[in-house]
Amino acid sequence: MAILLDHSAKLALGAGNVWDRCYKGVLLIKRGDFGTGLRLLRIALDELCRSSFVLRHTEFLDAPAEGLAGTGQFA
């Protein structure tokens, strides 16, 4: 993940870097770092929603629910 983020940042891939941050957020949530993962994922998803990739981020929509549940926010 670190290598992927580093390369996309160095190459200024723009949207590619946003996707990388989405995956990193999901990975952090899966590892139990719910707060950091949620923050990263929310910011990246907001960026995707403002871009032309708005319809292509559905694979990330279950991770926020998992992260919120992990922090005890079930509502």
Side-chain angles (χ1 to χ4, degrees):
M1 188 92 277
I3 293 169
L4 184 61
L5 285 166
D6 185 52
H7 283 311
S8 63
K10 283 181 183 176
L11 298 173
L13 294 178
N17 186 264
V18 176
W19 288 98
D20 298 344
R21 287 183 280 135
C22 284
Y23 283 113
K24 184 173 183 181
V26 171
L27 178 64
L28 290 168
I29 290 169
K30 296 287 185 190
R31 289 183 172 171
D33 189 352
F34 302 113
T36 305
L38 279 170
R39 280 189 297 280
L40 185 61
L41 190 55
R42 282 179 174 158
I43 292 168
L45 286 174
D46 285 346
E47 288 181 42
L48 282 177
C49 285
R50 289 190 304 269
S51 73
S52 60
F53 297 101
V54 70
L55 298 176
R56 296 182 48 203
H57 70 280
T58 56
E59 67 266 27
F60 301 115
L61 297 181
D62 63 331
E66 184 178 346
L68 290 169
T71 61
Q73 301 178 51
F74 296 100

